[in-house]
């Protein structure tokens, strides 16, 4: 693995860019922060009500009742403001996550040619990494905004009652800030390592589950299980490191919060008794002393809330580092053109990122509108790459490709047809969910699926699993062909549609393709001379034409 050299100036610039990115993708948090400020204001009213009730208690219930009512209503208001703040923060986080998930899914569905992002990586980004922003938007941002104002509000009110008590609170705040800064730096590093370990485990697990048949076929289950176990152990170690730092920062916060309250309590008690060993410029009465003592814990309340959500900030920043690196989605093709497209490949070269040689080099040929052209050649000659180029899945290193006067929408049937868990109808309608019953019947007839459906009691509603259990290779390819024909695209791309079929199945499918190609421009990649024979024109790759 290459060593990464960190430039402090670059790191600071990147941190600023990351902060701007997070704020741009975070929903509005002012409502939640404003409710937290109202909570602090209600805390002042609660402390005043308690202090007034205690002082007025010797005079009877009539004198203490108004103060008790103030304390009661202030307490109820605090509960209401806290609940509304949580709801507003959760709603903002949900909106932010929805926007980001749409962005990730869009990037996954429209990946740029040659993109190396795996399915597991994109799944982790859409689920875990986006979810990591929940606490940042719902809790940290409102807490940080409130923590810049609420302690000063409490401090100002405390200073009106007792300047010395306010000075004690400020004195305990300075070492607290230093301790939290040190703990925060350590927490950032540990959280980043833990998040990377979790993303690595999630991505590896998703990719191995997706390739489970291949893993089992090569008897690699034990090796992969051991690798997953090692990744899980690493995640456990990273998680414990994060928890240790979190407990340290929490301990520092609780120590200084308790120390400030204890010092204020000692000062107020000795001031009331007149036993202070040093002179002070004030003499407290019971009302002011009790008010200051009741309000002292609220000075650290917003800071406690911020410290509790600080881990959410670290997780969000680590997730942002990975989400910002996602490629921008490639441009989607425009609408279907009215006329059949002509395709011209001019000196086309395709080389995938990281590869030392070209997949295709200097290929030139033309496909007339409505013509069927077969790309014939051995494995590795670049047949599939040329089709992938038209689909935007392979990079054009040099040369040019012209598809009529506009970009045509293509229908595609690949070597390994996609089968999803559901019914045969569900699999066909993947191409066009709004297709009518007549259009579906036409595609079924053209693809030669009618005999297969007639032998199944439930017909189109016959259930199949994601592996296509119960379907022969020819039946899977006919489903893929019917799905492609159901899509109203003028360009039909077929990648090895008859590969690995027996002679009878291949003969039947060739006849189906020959009948289904009418009215479209068709490009077929194949090894089969028999399939190539139905084409109007054959382009031979990897050994001349």
């Amino acid at each position: 693995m290459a060593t990464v050299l960190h430039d402090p100036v670059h790191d600071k610039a990147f941190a600023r860019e990351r902060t701007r990115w997070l704020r741009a993708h975070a929903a509005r948090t002012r409502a939640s922060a404003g409710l937290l400020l109202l909570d602090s204001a209600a805390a002042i009213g609660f402390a005043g009500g308690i202090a007034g009730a205690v002082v007025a208690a010797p005079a009877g219930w009539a004198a203490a009742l108004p103060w008790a009512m103030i304390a009661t209503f202030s307490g109820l208001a605090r509960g209401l403001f806290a609940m509304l703040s949580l709801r507003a923060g959760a709603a903002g986080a949900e909106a932010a996550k929805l926007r980001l998930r749409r962005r990730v899914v869009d990037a996954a569905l429209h990946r740029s040619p040659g993109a190396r992002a795996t399915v597991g990586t994109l799944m982790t980004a859409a689920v875990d990494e986006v979810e990591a922003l929940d606490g940042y938007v719902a809790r940290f941002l409102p807490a940080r905004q409130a923590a810049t104002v609420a302690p000063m509000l409490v401090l100002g009110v405390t200073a009106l009652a007792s300047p010395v008590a306010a000075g004690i609170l400020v004195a305990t705040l300075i070492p607290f800030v230093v301790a939290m800064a040190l703990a925060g730096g350590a927490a950032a590093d540990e959280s980043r390592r833990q998040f990377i370990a979790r993303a690595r485990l999630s991505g590896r697990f998703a990719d191995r589950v997706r390739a489970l048949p291949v893993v089992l076929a090569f008897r690699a289950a034990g090796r992969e299980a051991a690798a997953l176990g090692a990744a899980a152990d690493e995640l456990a170690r990273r998680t414990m490191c994060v928890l240790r730092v979190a407990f340290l920062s929490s301990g520092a916060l609780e120590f200084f919060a308790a120390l400030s309250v204890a010092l204020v309590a000692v000062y107020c008690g000795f001031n009331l008794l007149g036993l202070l060993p040093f002179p002070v410029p004030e003499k407290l009465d019971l009302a002011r002393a009790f008010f200051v003592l009741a309000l002292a814990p609220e000075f650290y309340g917003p800071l406690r809330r911020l410290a509790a959500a600080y881990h959410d900030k670290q997780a969000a920043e680590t997730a942002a580092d990975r989400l910002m690196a996602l490629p921008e989605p490639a441009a989607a093709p425009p609408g279907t053109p009215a006329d059949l497209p002509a395709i011209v490949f001019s000196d086309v070269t395709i080389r995938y990122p990281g590869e030392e040689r070209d997949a295709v080099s200097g290929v030139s040929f033309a496909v007339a509108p409505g013509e069927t052209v077969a790309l014939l050649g051995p494995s590795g000659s670049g047949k599939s790459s040329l089709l992938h180029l038209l689909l935007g899945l392979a990079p054009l290193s040099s040369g040019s490709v012209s598809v009529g006067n506009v970009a045509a929408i293509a229908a595609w049937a690949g070597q390994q047809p996609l089968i999803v868990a559901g019914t045969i109808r569900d699999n066909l309608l993947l191409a066009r969910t709004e297709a009518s019953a007549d259009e579906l019947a036409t595609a079924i007839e053209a693809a030669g699926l009618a005999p297969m459906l007639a032998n199944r009691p439930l017909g189109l509603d016959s259930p199949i699993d994601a592996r296509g259990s119960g379907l022969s290779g020819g039946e899977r390819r006919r489903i893929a062909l019917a799905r492609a024909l159901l899509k109203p695209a003028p360009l039909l791309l077929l990648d090895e549609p008859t590969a690995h079929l027996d002679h009878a199945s291949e003969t039947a499918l060739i006849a189906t393709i020959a009948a289904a190609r009418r009215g479209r421009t068709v490009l077929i990649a194949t090894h089969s001379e028999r399939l190539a024979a139905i084409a109007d024109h054959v382009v031979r790759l990897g050994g001349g034409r």
Side-chain angles (χ1 to χ4, degrees), residues 31 129 160 170 192 208 232 236 270 356 370 382 402 433 437 518:
E129 294 172 13
L160 292 176
V170 172
R192 186 171 295 107
R208 295 312 182 267
F270 278 86
E356 296 182 355
S402 172
T433 56
R518 297 188 183 94

Side-chain angles (χ1 to χ4, degrees), residues 43-58 63-64 66-68 70-71 161 285-295:
I44 296 173
F46 181 80
I50 290 293
V54 169
V55 173
W67 295 103
I70 292 175
D285 54 26
L286 180 60
R288 287 196 297 160
F290 203 96
F291 175 72
V292 167
L293 185 58
L295 196 58

Side-chain angles (χ1 to χ4, degrees), residues 440-531:
L440 189 58
T442 301
I444 290 171
E445 187 65 32
L449 272 176
M452 181 197 79
L453 295 176
N455 292 328
R456 293 177 176 260
L458 298 179
L460 279 173
D461 295 316
S462 300
I464 52 177
D465 60 25
R467 300 176 65 179
S469 300
L471 297 175
S472 67
E475 289 171 341
R476 295 185 192 189
R477 286 180 170 83
R478 289 181 186 278
I479 288 176
L481 181 59
R483 189 161 54 202
L485 296 176
L486 191 60
K487 183 176 181 179
L491 179 59
L492 178 61
L493 304 178
L494 303 177
D495 189 6
E496 298 288 1
T498 62
H500 312 302
L501 296 181
D502 57 54
H503 187 273
S505 298
E506 181 185 26
T507 300
L509 192 55
I510 288 174
T512 298
I513 293 172
R517 62 181 173 150
R518 297 188 183 94
R520 302 187 189 222
T521 300
V522 183
L523 199 58
I524 306 173
T526 182
H527 288 84
S528 172
E529 294 280 358
R530 299 177 63 208
L531 177 57

Side-chain angles (χ1 to χ4, degrees), residues 425-440 442-443 482-489 520:
R425 185 192 306 274
D426 295 333
N427 278 269
L428 294 178
L429 292 179
L430 282 176
R432 190 178 171 202
T433 56
E434 73 281 5
S436 66
D438 290 341
E439 291 170 329
L440 189 58
T442 301
R483 189 161 54 202
L485 296 176
L486 191 60
K487 183 176 181 179
R520 302 187 189 222

Side-chain angles (χ1 to χ4, degrees), residues 71-340:
T72 301
F73 283 118
S74 297
L76 292 175
R78 293 198 68 183
L80 178 63
F81 292 145
M83 180 187 68
L84 294 178
S85 176
L86 287 175
R87 289 188 176 183
E94 189 65 27
K97 290 189 296 182
L98 182 60
R99 289 195 298 271
L100 271 174
R101 282 201 171 99
R102 286 174 176 169
R103 160 74 176 82
V104 175
V105 171
D106 194 31
L109 294 177
H110 303 95
R111 281 180 287 177
S112 299
R116 289 184 171 273
T118 65
V119 173
T121 300
L122 293 170
M123 288 176 60
T124 301
V127 180
D128 294 339
E129 294 172 13
V130 172
E131 192 64 32
L133 271 67
D134 181 88
Y136 178 80
V137 178
R139 295 182 291 274
F140 177 77
L141 282 182
R144 186 177 65 179
Q145 293 168 359
T148 59
V149 179
M152 297 300 102
L153 178 63
V154 172
L155 186 65
V157 175
T158 302
L160 292 176
S162 172
V164 176
I168 293 173
L169 294 178
V170 172
T172 58
L173 179 64
I174 296 174
F176 163 75
V177 171
V178 173
M180 291 305 297
L182 294 175
D189 293 337
E190 296 297 343
S191 177
R192 186 171 295 107
R193 296 188 185 100
Q194 187 253 1
F195 198 95
I196 292 172
R198 185 175 66 179
R200 186 182 297 117
L201 174 61
S202 298
R204 186 183 187 98
F205 181 77
D207 285 333
R208 295 312 182 267
V209 169
R210 183 168 177 261
L212 190 57
V214 177
V215 173
L216 294 175
F218 283 91
R219 301 182 183 275
R223 182 174 66 249
E224 291 300 330
L228 286 171
D233 290 340
E234 180 187 5
L235 176 60
R237 289 193 299 271
R238 299 298 184 192
T239 302
M240 294 306 299
C241 290
V242 171
L243 291 175
R244 280 196 291 269
V245 176
F247 287 142
L248 176 63
S249 60
S250 177
L253 172 63
E254 295 301 328
F255 171 78
F256 287 107
L259 179 65
S260 67
V261 174
L263 291 176
V264 169
V266 169
Y267 166 73
C268 290
F270 278 86
N271 189 296
L272 286 172
L273 296 174
L275 298 177
L276 285 172
F278 50 84
V280 292
E282 62 181 4
K283 176 60 179 176
L284 297 178
D285 54 26
L286 180 60
R288 287 196 297 160
F290 203 96
F291 175 72
V292 167
L293 185 58
L295 196 58
E298 299 302 328
F299 178 71
Y300 275 92
L303 299 176
R304 281 177 171 174
R305 192 182 296 119
L306 180 62
Y310 193 76
H311 177 69
D312 295 324
K313 171 181 179 288
Q314 303 298 342
E317 288 182 346
T318 305
D321 291 345
R322 300 171 66 86
L323 290 172
M324 290 169 65
L326 286 178
E328 290 296 325
T336 305
D339 299 325
L340 297 180

